[in-house]
Amino acid sequence: MKHMYKLWRASTQILNSNDVTGLRESEEKLKQQQQESARRENILVMRLATKEQEMQECTTQIRYLKQVQQPSVAQLRSTMVDPAINLFFLKMKGELEQTKDKLEQDQNELSAWNFTPDK
């Protein structure tokens, strides 16, 4: 009977030591998993912060571009609003270009007439 008790006690101690070893291994694995999860979380938080900053920069650029596209009051006053007046100015601009071209041609002809072989 004593022998059975000793065997039972020895097997219980072995089981307990195996349980403790198993628990320690499980605890170590859980710690490693927790550290890995914390590392991943930190990486994701950093990526999120970067994306939020990029989004803020894009929002700022959009606001700036909208502001630049809207003409100021002075610009609106300086533009020709009436289509008839605009057409008149375009016609005058065309006539001015023709006159400049004619002047240049006449000056070239005058230079050719004034050219002498002695010069």
Side-chain angles (χ1 to χ4, degrees), residues 11-22:
S11 64
T12 304
Q13 287 177 349
I14 291 172
L15 287 175
N16 285 341
S17 68
N18 286 340
D19 288 346
V20 169
T21 304

Side-chain angles (χ1 to χ4, degrees), residues 43-79:
I43 290 171
L44 291 174
V45 167
M46 288 173 38
R47 289 171 74 188
L48 178 63
T50 302
K51 292 295 181 188
E52 286 177 348
Q53 183 178 2
E54 288 174 3
M55 210 168 66
Q56 186 65 31
E57 290 171 0
C58 288
T59 303
T60 303
Q61 284 182 342
I62 289 170
R63 283 188 193 132
Y64 172 74
L65 292 173
K66 283 182 178 180
Q67 184 181 14
V68 170
Q69 285 181 343
Q70 293 178 349
S72 67
V73 174
Q75 287 174 329
L76 288 175
R77 286 185 181 157
S78 68
T79 59

Side-chain angles (χ1 to χ4, degrees), residues 3-118:
H3 183 53
M4 292 282 280
Y5 177 73
K6 285 182 181 180
L7 280 175
W8 175 78
R9 191 157 189 210
S11 64
T12 304
Q13 287 177 349
I14 291 172
L15 287 175
N16 285 341
S17 68
N18 286 340
D19 288 346
V20 169
T21 304
L23 288 174
R24 286 184 184 154
E25 289 173 359
S26 294
E27 181 183 17
E28 188 62 34
K29 285 180 184 178
L30 287 173
K31 282 182 182 179
Q32 288 175 353
Q33 288 176 354
Q34 191 270 336
Q35 288 173 347
E36 180 65 23
S37 295
R39 187 184 70 79
R40 281 192 211 155
E41 181 183 9
N42 288 337
I43 290 171
L44 291 174
V45 167
M46 288 173 38
R47 289 171 74 188
L48 178 63
T50 302
K51 292 295 181 188
E52 286 177 348
Q53 183 178 2
E54 288 174 3
M55 210 168 66
Q56 186 65 31
E57 290 171 0
C58 288
T59 303
T60 303
Q61 284 182 342
I62 289 170
R63 283 188 193 132
Y64 172 74
L65 292 173
K66 283 182 178 180
Q67 184 181 14
V68 170
Q69 285 181 343
Q70 293 178 349
S72 67
V73 174
Q75 287 174 329
L76 288 175
R77 286 185 181 157
S78 68
T79 59
M80 294 175 269
V81 179
D82 188 2
I85 294 173
N86 191 21
L87 183 62
F88 179 70
F89 277 110
L90 289 175
K91 186 177 178 184
M92 285 181 11
K93 185 178 178 183
E95 289 175 1
L96 178 63
E97 291 296 324
Q98 288 175 354
T99 305
K100 284 181 180 179
D101 290 342
K102 178 75 170 136
L103 176 63
E104 185 180 347
Q105 285 176 351
D106 291 345
Q107 285 177 341
N108 289 338
E109 285 180 23
L110 182 61
S111 295
W113 279 101
N114 288 334
F115 178 76
T116 60
D118 298 337

